[in-house]
Amino acid sequence: MRIRFISSEVFAGLFRNVTMTIAVILTVAVSLTLFGTGLLVRAQVNTMKDFWYDKVEVSVFLCGANSDPGICPEPITDTQRSELQAALENSSLVEQVYYESSEEAFGRFQEQFANSPILENVTAAALPESFRIKLYNPEDYPAIANALSDAAGVEVVRDQKRLLDNFFTVLNGMQALALGVSAAMLVVTVLLVANTMRVSAFSRRRETGIMKLVGASNYYIRLPFLLEAGIAAAVGGIIASGALIGLKVFLIDRVLSPTFQFTAFIGWSDIHRVLPIVLATGISLAVLAAFFAIRRYLKV
Amino acid sequence: MTSPSVARMGRARRSRNSAGVDVTGAIIRFQHVTKRYRRQMSPALLDVTCAVHPGEFVFLVGPSGSGKSTFMRLILREDTPSAGQVMVAGKDVAAMRSWRVPKLRRSIGTVFQDFRLLPNKNVYENVAFALEVIGKSRSQIKMAVPETLELVGLSDKADRRPHELSGGEQQRVAIARAFVNRPTIVIADEPTGNLDPATSIGIMRLLDRINRTGTTVLMATHDAAIVDQMRKRVIELDEGRVVRDHVRGVYGSYR
């Protein structure tokens, strides 16, 4: 009986003012789509960070014949090289070290510039030999750079992460923008839900007046309103979920992923992680908004 | 709840014991109750002291603005007194926690001048609504509603909407709704105010019948003819004070 009674009250409430209900559902859908997009953009930025930072190396270029004489008075000796390699291999920050000789560097260079006329002007001797270091944590670069830059036989230490950082600054800005817009939309949603529920409570004041009079508990009086807001938000949230899945299927999988093959994109696991957050946020915000909106009107 | 020793102690203090239980047997007791509304110079009730005992039928009379409605609002705890104490069924209403208020109201049936029925529900549903919203089971509702409709004489009109009924019939529905949960008190605020004299007599018979089941009835009214006819207890209010309390009263000077 209770369930039957409350559900009939809820549906009466939802259909009493259909245009308002639709407005709430659509606003919730739009704001949750934006919110979910914000979360997915963040996931995308993190995916790219993982992808790229996993590949970045610290290059330690060693003194060779063509080095700057101000830093390298003479080419590195075999002893210096093996001491340096041992120091790097023993460092707790370093995950992996490998040595690249001038010949190997030249091989890679040939690959990279296979069709370029620049190739004719470069010889193996012109390219310095180097240690390529992979750090456990790319953020530890300064410690390594400080330790190595003054070591004998080292010309220069370069961090590829520096190049990526500028790129990620832009991405972080976009991510903040997406989250900011979605936060504003969530505020709009909360206000709209609160206002709608206030109108709903007002239009049902006759019923609620009688309910109070015959001794209905707060729970009985308020629950239909809270469920009404929750159901409208859930419907909006399902629409938003559909939009986000569509985003993944049609935009990412069909367009972005084949076009930009040099980077990784978010996978289904990110979608699966984001959707419950989106739904829970939408429903709980709507229910809380309704609760605070009607509390004053329905006080026993 | 009250142990014998506590009851004796309470009797010594006349009105109540430390647990707040009324041991004088009154079901409604006002003690030096004053109610002031904000932004109003004169109080709605001023130092009102009176008691209503279980099973009594009491008329509350007096001109508009004399405090009748405030009196009833305090019993229902729609308001709390500015000073003094209102006890209903032995409980201090003002001191009651707000989550207990619904329980208080379930023991009080309320009837108004304007009926306050739900227009989109039929007679049966209007009466059943009062039970649904306090969480009664379907089987309880199926038993109690027809029984109460029978009592008010509307069994054959259970499926009518309020707008298809006369004023007197609508008020009977309202009384059925107030009484369907078998409250110990029925409060009626000018129940005959919108009705013609012949219809009013029918409503009074019904309230009298409810009173005979042992239910305390408290009725505010302007209707002198009815009060004179019934010869029940009359409490008269004027400018917030009790000016008269007669056991078998008549309406008095206000006509």
Side-chain angles (χ1 to χ4, degrees):
Chain A
M1 190 67 231
R2 290 158 185 241
I3 292 166
R4 185 188 293 251
F5 171 72
I6 286 178
S7 60
S8 76
E9 282 289 298
V10 169
F11 284 103
L14 285 172
F15 288 104
R16 181 183 312 254
N17 202 339
V18 181
T19 47
M20 268 309 223
T21 307
I22 291 173
V24 168
I25 289 175
L26 290 183
T27 313
V28 169
V30 169
S31 66
L32 287 186
T33 306
L34 283 178
F35 178 58
T37 309
L39 292 181
L40 289 180
V41 166
R42 207 173 70 140
Q44 176 62 37
V45 170
N46 286 336
T47 305
M48 287 167 83
K49 273 185 186 163
D50 286 348
F51 181 82
W52 287 106
Y53 282 172
D54 202 46
K55 296 197 163 25
V56 299
E57 297 163 332
V58 174
S59 305
V60 182
F61 292 102
L62 306 178
C63 292
N66 292 343
S67 298
D68 180 353
I71 303 168
C72 294
E74 54 201 23
I76 189 165
T77 63
D78 288 346
T79 338
Q80 285 173 331
R81 190 185 300 118
S82 51
E83 275 173 9
L84 196 58
Q85 180 152 18
L88 286 172
E89 278 167 355
N90 291 332
S91 167
S92 60
L93 303 174
V94 175
E95 189 182 343
Q96 222 178 24
V97 184
Y98 72 92
Y99 171 75
E100 190 181 70
S101 67
S102 294
E103 285 73 27
E104 284 165 338
F106 185 62
R108 224 159 54 131
F109 190 87
Q110 281 176 316
E111 250 174 59
Q112 275 177 349
F113 297 94
N115 300 318
S116 169
I118 197 172
L119 211 52
E120 292 163 21
N121 302 325
V122 176
T123 60
L127 295 171
E129 55 188 316
S130 63
F131 282 115
R132 301 290 165 128
I133 305 168
K134 185 151 172 44
L135 298 175
Y136 283 110
N137 179 1
E139 312 285 332
D140 286 335
Y141 167 72
I144 290 287
N146 280 338
L148 292 182
S149 55
D150 292 336
V154 173
E155 184 183 11
V156 67
V157 183
R158 272 219 189 89
D159 183 13
Q160 293 178 339
K161 180 171 171 286
R162 287 247 181 111
L163 302 171
L164 287 178
D165 280 348
N166 291 330
F167 177 57
F168 279 119
T169 308
V170 175
L171 285 185
N172 283 339
M174 281 166 59
Q175 174 186 338
L177 188 73
L179 286 178
V181 170
S182 63
M185 275 307 290
L186 286 179
V187 171
V188 170
T189 309
V190 164
L191 294 179
L192 183 79
V193 169
N195 198 47
T196 307
M197 296 323 292
R198 212 167 294 168
V199 170
S200 188
F202 186 75
S203 71
R204 269 189 276 170
R205 64 194 182 286
R206 200 180 178 89
E207 278 88 343
T208 49
I210 293 167
M211 287 167 96
K212 284 185 212 174
L213 208 61
V214 299
S217 59
N218 267 333
Y219 155 83
Y220 244 81
I221 297 175
R222 287 176 188 170
L223 195 62
F225 293 95
L226 303 185
L227 284 177
E228 211 177 299
I231 288 174
V235 174
I238 288 168
I239 295 174
S241 304
L244 292 175
I245 290 171
L247 205 69
K248 162 76 178 149
V249 171
F250 294 107
L251 185 65
I252 294 177
D253 288 355
R254 298 233 176 124
V255 180
L256 293 181
S257 206
T259 315
F260 302 99
Q261 285 181 343
F262 59 85
T263 185
F265 283 96
I266 47 170
W268 283 106
S269 65
D270 292 297
I271 301 277
H272 292 158
R273 195 172 47 78
V274 162
L275 291 189
I277 298 175
V278 164
L279 276 173
T281 306
I283 293 171
S284 48
L285 278 183
V287 170
L288 278 178
F291 179 77
F292 285 106
I294 62 173
R295 201 166 57 150
R296 195 155 57 86
Y297 290 81
L298 302 183
K299 208 168 191 172
V300 165
Chain B
M1 196 167 109
T2 313
S3 68
S5 65
V6 172
R8 264 198 305 282
M9 194 179 80
R11 206 169 292 131
R13 288 172 55 192
R14 261 314 279 167
S15 60
R16 64 185 182 109
N17 63 21
S18 55
V21 174
D22 197 314
V23 293
T24 59
I27 191 155
I28 301 169
R29 169 175 292 277
F30 277 55
Q31 278 185 312
H32 305 293
V33 172
T34 297
K35 176 66 188 176
R36 288 172 204 279
Y37 288 108
R38 254 178 283 167
R39 292 192 296 266
Q40 273 184 13
M41 286 289 284
S42 50
L45 288 179
L46 185 60
D47 195 25
V48 170
T49 298
C50 66
V52 176
H53 292 272
E56 271 195 295
F57 194 119
V58 180
F59 284 115
L60 200 58
V61 303
S64 299
S66 59
K68 301 192 296 293
S69 294
T70 302
F71 192 95
M72 299 188 151
R73 288 173 61 82
L74 292 180
I75 295 171
L76 286 167
R77 220 251 206 188
E78 291 187 340
D79 259 321
T80 49
S82 315
Q85 199 176 35
V86 177
M87 308 280 287
V88 176
K91 299 233 166 57
D92 184 342
V93 171
M96 190 177 280
R97 298 290 189 98
S98 65
W99 59 269
R100 285 190 188 274
V101 172
K103 196 161 176 272
L104 167 78
R105 291 184 186 157
R106 286 175 201 191
S107 68
I108 306 173
T110 319
V111 180
F112 294 96
Q113 183 174 4
D114 57 358
F115 319 138
R116 300 199 188 171
L117 301 176
L118 297 173
N120 51 349
K121 288 188 194 293
N122 66 27
V123 168
Y124 182 96
E125 290 163 346
N126 262 286
V127 177
F129 186 74
L131 295 179
E132 283 168 346
V133 300
I134 61 174
K136 294 281 185 193
S137 72
R138 262 158 80 77
S139 56
Q140 280 173 299
I141 293 171
K142 268 186 182 159
M143 256 180 5
V145 176
E147 198 180 298
T148 309
L149 287 180
E150 172 103 43
L151 176 80
V152 302
L154 285 175
S155 296
D156 53 336
K157 293 187 175 170
D159 54 353
R160 304 284 183 88
R161 296 285 178 95
H163 66 89
E164 299 170 309
L165 301 174
S166 70
E169 287 167 336
Q170 289 188 46
Q171 192 60 293
R172 283 168 187 273
V173 178
I175 292 172
R177 184 180 64 196
F179 192 60
V180 69
N181 193 32
R182 297 295 182 269
T184 50
I185 305 169
V186 167
I187 288 180
D189 193 356
E190 311 225 15
T192 59
N194 278 347
L195 306 175
D196 62 69
T199 312
S200 298
I201 288 169
I203 295 296
M204 290 316 298
R205 285 221 182 96
L206 180 54
L207 287 174
D208 191 41
R209 197 181 310 154
I210 283 171
N211 177 234
R212 279 169 209 273
T213 67
T215 309
T216 309
V217 178
L218 179 65
M219 169 171 160
T221 186
H222 276 125
D223 195 329
I226 284 175
V227 176
D228 294 346
Q229 215 169 15
M230 298 278 288
R231 307 296 287 181
K232 300 284 190 184
R233 182 177 169 196
V234 174
I235 297 173
E236 183 177 331
L237 291 173
D238 189 22
E239 292 183 345
R241 294 170 192 273
V242 175
V243 294
R244 184 162 64 105
D245 187 350
H246 287 167
V247 175
R248 286 180 166 280
V250 292
Y251 195 86
S253 51
Y254 301 98
R255 275 174 195 255

